[in-house]
Amino acid sequence: MPSIVGLTDWLTDNERVGWRRGAYHKTLTDKHLVLLCRKYAADLEKLNPEWAKSLPPPGEAANSKEYGAASNSDQFGGVDGNASGEEDMKNNYRDEDEDPRGGGSELSEETHLFAKFTCTYKIWDFINRENQGLEPEFPQNELVPAALVFSDLSGFSKLCEAYVAKYAGEASQMSMSQAAEKLNVVVNSVFALQIRLVDQYNGDVVNFAGDAMFVVFRDESLSVAAARAVACSLDMLEETQKRLKAMEEMGMDALDTQLFLHIGIGAGNIRCMTFGGSFDKAEFVVAGPALTEAKDCGELAKCGEAILSETVLQLIQPTKPMTRAVPRERMVDGVNLELGYFIIDEMQIRPPMPAQTMRSATLQALRQCDNSLGAVEEAMRRFVPHSISACVDSGQSPKEAEEGRRVTIMFIRLLDIDCEPFDYSKSETVNLIQRCILEIYGLLHRYEGTVSRFQIDDKGTVLKIVFGFPMMAHEDDPVRAVHCAIEIRKALKAIQVQSCVGIATGTTMCGLVGNEVRMEYTAVGSAVILAARLMQNANCSILVNAETMKMSSGSAVFEKICSIKVKGRDAKVPVWRPVETERRMTKKLAPIRDGSHVLGREEELDHLKASMDQYIGGWGGGGRGRGRGRGS
């Protein structure tokens, strides 16, 4: 049997540290399994060079059916013989990784990971600037023609609430970890399928929004981009329905919740904007008419439907689309009634597929880019949550940060001085939002919270902030969130910006959402939904839930507001408003609790230490079975 002990020689320095510490023994990623197989094959080749001649070339093997090539009839969990994990791994490593024996063209582990958290549009921008010797620009505002798809997974929020309600009362933290893992498998099987199809149709996932994705399609012409956006949407609906059915037949959804996909498609000019740049953090977001059209279409779409705007329908006429007009009685408040909306059933002529996807071309350019100083890698790091980058820096797998945990969620809506959404067609708006983001970054750096999402739509500019992510958690996170919100509102008022804030504390599922092509790290659960609902009802103030008030009552003064009705809940929710002019800090802020000391587990740690001392003492006395005292 050939030796594979030299596998660690093929790993990066951070991977090797993580391997020694045992992080990868718990969760081996697909890439490490691929490296293991390649090392094993290399050892066999050394023993018998003739054996290598019988193998297909690497490119041919990567595209073969046996390797797990994707097909239009793939099902979840290998119903047709191809597991979704194999498909995603194939799509990722065929395009993104080179053979480790090939030399210096392979992306480092850090660059490879950071690229997954960065949209293709921004990677291209960073590469072009690096080749021209330019630094990343903040803020950045570009107007580009594109088609935009808004894909929403209905039932996702109820599924999260069901998992939290079932496992939150369990005594063992292991129960919440198992719940997080189950939720991750169910949701990511759907998200991974969508992202794979988006990549095949030359799309770019620019933003995640919990249970939704915003996908931009750009091509040689707007009509081609729109046609590919519609074709991708139809395939997403069909393949997602198959996968959800397969999951149901396999008993994956043990909580009997229903998941459905509905899609909205718009086209036109969009603004691609980048904010931040300070505190090793940045935000990328899109806005404009195409986004508004896609969101309106998504609001009108029922489960299993794709609705496109009249603008998109005119652009895809050469494909002979089969459509039906949306009935007038289905129109909802806030939708532009002057624009026509149509349900798309089929395209008689499908658009041609790209010879090379934009993502593949971008990663190829990234390998060829002179990134010896790490400028591109550092630019992409700004889009990676601090919890994930901290895992990488410490040599751990990012999957170590997937767990159920108690966090405090804050949603902030930014409005102009008249409490109206900002007009991003004005150049001064971008500079004003940049000032807002930098003010928020500075206060979050002080209170150790992190921006998890930045989104712009017709309802305003919204940020989702989390206190309590791994590597940044404290026992007084609710206190930090309340004081941070008060100071943020004060700082924004000084620059003539109004804000509405909702804060909720509760148990959430924290983990990676997406696949090996594109992903994000986020928190999902009923507390997230409640915080967003409180923001919608805040009316230029701060509203908090009961749990946040109870845990912060010693450090802030609250006034009881009458219980309010929020969307998605039958019973009214009691809420409180902190008195922003009266604050008291009775003690210093608690230190980060994710270090060497784990709160509330002293007894368990003492028992573990005693057991380890006894075990080590037994080995030191000349063999197993001879337990020796601690002082022997």
Side-chain angles (χ1 to χ4, degrees):
M1 179 64 65
S3 170
I4 57 173
V5 294
L7 171 66
T8 55
D9 296 335
W10 293 42
L11 303 178
T12 64
D13 291 339
N14 277 338
E15 287 178 332
R16 198 173 296 113
V17 171
W19 193 282
R20 293 196 187 103
R21 292 180 179 176
Y24 294 136
H25 291 169
K26 179 179 178 182
T27 51
L28 276 171
T29 64
D30 288 340
K31 179 173 182 178
H32 298 112
L33 295 177
V34 170
L35 288 174
L36 187 64
C37 293
R38 287 174 176 170
K39 182 63 176 66
Y40 185 82
D43 289 339
L44 288 178
E45 184 177 349
K46 290 179 181 178
L47 291 179
N48 186 2
E50 294 298 322
W51 176 81
K53 298 180 180 179
S54 63
L55 293 177
E60 181 180 333
N63 290 282
S64 67
K65 281 284 184 179
E66 288 74 10
Y67 190 78
S71 65
N72 291 331
S73 60
D74 74 328
Q75 300 285 330
F76 176 78
V79 173
D80 68 346
N82 290 328
S84 60
E86 292 179 326
E87 296 164 10
D88 294 333
M89 184 182 70
K90 180 272 298 183
N91 281 305
N92 184 44
Y93 296 114
R94 180 192 63 191
D95 295 333
E96 299 182 23
D97 282 326
E98 305 244 348
D99 191 316
R101 292 170 288 179
S105 62
E106 185 191 10
L107 297 178
S108 69
E109 180 72 10
E110 293 81 2
T111 305
H112 179 81
L113 176 65
F114 296 164
K116 299 175 188 177
F117 287 88
T118 311
C119 66
T120 306
Y121 180 90
K122 287 307 302 180
I123 298 177
W124 264 120
D125 178 61
F126 293 145
I127 293 174
N128 290 334
R129 288 182 173 277
E130 176 66 16
N131 291 336
Q132 298 173 30
L134 302 176
E135 295 288 331
E137 180 182 354
F138 301 99
Q140 190 175 15
N141 179 20
E142 294 180 321
L143 189 66
V144 298
L148 196 142
V149 170
F150 171 69
S151 170
D152 189 12
L153 187 63
S154 295
F156 178 78
S157 299
K158 290 184 178 180
L159 180 65
C160 296
E161 290 186 6
Y163 269 103
V164 171
K166 179 176 180 180
Y167 292 97
E170 299 286 343
S172 172
Q173 180 66 21
M174 183 64 69
S175 299
M176 285 302 296
S177 298
Q178 292 174 350
E181 184 178 353
K182 291 180 180 179
L183 182 65
N184 182 274
V185 170
V186 173
V187 176
N188 275 348
S189 66
V190 178
F191 275 11
L193 172 62
Q194 295 183 64
I195 296 172
R196 177 171 60 80
L197 290 171
V198 166
D199 184 48
Q200 290 178 359
Y201 278 96
N202 216 30
D204 183 13
V205 179
V206 292
N207 287 114
F208 291 87
D211 54 357
M213 293 189 306
F214 293 92
V215 184
V216 167
F217 289 82
R218 296 186 300 134
D219 228 298
E220 61 266 17
S221 67
L222 186 56
S223 59
V224 174
R228 285 178 175 166
V230 174
C232 180
S233 299
L234 291 173
D235 283 355
M236 287 166 63
L237 289 175
E238 180 182 357
E239 296 301 320
T240 300
Q241 183 179 7
K242 291 180 181 179
R243 180 152 295 182
L244 291 174
K245 183 178 179 180
M247 289 167 55
E248 182 179 356
E249 292 175 352
M250 297 172 64
M252 291 296 299
D253 190 3
L255 299 181
D256 194 27
T257 55
Q258 295 292 322
L259 293 175
F260 298 97
L261 189 66
H262 59 102
I263 296 175
I265 312 167
N269 289 328
I270 62 171
R271 291 195 176 274
C272 298
M273 296 175 288
T274 311
F275 299 100
S278 299
F279 300 100
D280 202 22
K281 193 83 173 97
E283 314 297 332
F284 177 78
V285 69
V286 296
L291 175 66
T292 303
E293 286 186 9
K295 286 277 290 183
D296 287 347
C297 291
E299 291 288 333
L300 295 174
K302 292 184 177 180
C303 296
E305 282 185 348
I307 291 183
L308 47 83
S309 66
E310 187 175 359
T311 306
V312 177
L313 180 60
Q314 294 174 355
L315 289 169
I316 66 170
Q317 283 302 315
T319 66
K320 298 182 180 180
M322 300 174 63
T323 61
R324 295 170 285 139
V326 176
R328 299 291 294 181
E329 57 268 19
R330 283 177 56 177
M331 297 298 172
V332 298
D333 294 338
V335 172
N336 183 7
L337 299 179
E338 297 180 359
L339 190 66
Y341 302 95
F342 301 87
I343 304 170
I344 177 73
D345 294 319
E346 188 52 75
M347 302 172 71
Q348 298 185 49
I349 302 176
R350 287 297 182 108
M353 299 294 285
Q356 184 182 29
T357 66
M358 183 166 52
R359 187 78 180 181
S360 175
T362 302
L363 294 174
Q364 182 178 347
L366 184 58
R367 295 190 195 97
Q368 299 170 354
C369 174
D370 182 12
N371 190 31
S372 55
L373 299 179
V376 177
E377 180 179 307
E378 287 303 311
M380 293 190 297
R381 178 189 280 265
R382 293 189 175 101
F383 297 97
V384 181
H386 290 152
S387 297
I388 299 299
S389 58
C391 284
V392 174
D393 292 340
S394 62
Q396 300 180 40
S397 168
K399 293 185 179 181
E400 296 290 322
E402 293 184 346
E403 60 182 348
R405 61 192 296 126
R406 205 165 197 78
V407 299
T408 298
I409 306 293
M410 178 196 301
F411 275 89
I412 302 178
R413 174 180 291 164
L414 306 180
L415 302 170
D416 64 19
I417 194 63
D418 298 320
C419 292
E420 295 293 333
F422 286 103
D423 182 3
Y424 282 90
S425 62
K426 300 178 180 179
S427 58
E428 59 268 21
T429 299
V430 175
N431 293 325
L432 180 58
I433 296 299
Q434 171 71 357
R435 290 185 62 188
C436 294
I437 295 297
L438 295 182
E439 291 284 355
I440 293 173
Y441 278 180
L443 290 168
L444 290 179
H445 181 72
R446 174 184 173 187
Y447 287 98
E448 297 183 320
T450 183
V451 176
S452 176
R453 185 189 309 159
F454 183 42
Q455 180 179 331
I456 298 174
D457 56 27
D458 56 321
K459 298 180 179 62
T461 303
V462 177
L463 292 93
K464 173 187 172 185
I465 297 170
V466 181
F467 292 82
F469 266 163
M471 308 289 184
M472 301 181 66
H474 318 78
E475 59 181 313
D476 61 349
D477 277 322
V479 176
R480 291 170 176 265
V482 171
H483 284 272
C484 185
I486 293 174
E487 293 197 28
I488 285 176
R489 279 183 43 79
K490 181 180 178 180
L492 294 180
K493 283 182 181 179
I495 57 176
Q496 303 296 302
V497 174
Q498 298 285 359
S499 58
C500 306
V501 182
I503 303 175
T505 301
T507 303
T508 64
M509 304 296 183
C510 301
L512 298 169
V513 176
N515 70 348
E516 292 292 334
V517 176
R518 190 75 167 85
M519 64 174 58
E520 77 158 355
Y521 183 79
T522 188
V524 295
S526 57
V528 180
I529 303 169
L530 179 56
R533 301 294 186 238
L534 293 178
M535 177 199 67
Q536 294 172 357
N537 290 272
N539 192 21
C540 291
S541 65
I542 304 172
L543 294 182
V544 307
N545 71 336
E547 188 166 350
T548 303
M549 184 276 300
K550 292 177 182 177
M551 300 182 70
S552 307
S553 57
S555 300
V557 178
F558 292 87
E559 57 180 356
K560 178 72 167 63
I561 307 298
C562 58
S563 299
I564 63 174
K565 184 73 173 67
V566 298
K567 180 181 177 182
R569 298 204 174 197
D570 297 330
K572 290 186 176 181
V573 177
V575 296
W576 281 261
R577 177 187 295 135
V579 180
E580 300 183 37
T581 56
E582 298 184 42
R583 300 166 56 198
R584 52 178 181 265
M585 189 67 73
T586 58
K587 60 181 181 179
K588 292 182 179 181
L589 294 175
I592 293 179
R593 69 167 183 243
D594 286 271
S596 59
H597 180 63
V598 183
L599 293 175
R601 300 183 185 177
E602 289 79 4
E603 183 178 349
E604 289 81 358
L605 288 173
D606 289 341
H607 178 72
L608 177 61
K609 187 175 185 299
S611 299
M612 288 298 295
D613 288 340
Q614 182 179 6
Y615 177 79
I616 294 173
W619 274 97
R624 283 183 176 171
R626 298 188 180 183
R628 301 182 62 181
R630 187 172 179 178
S632 297

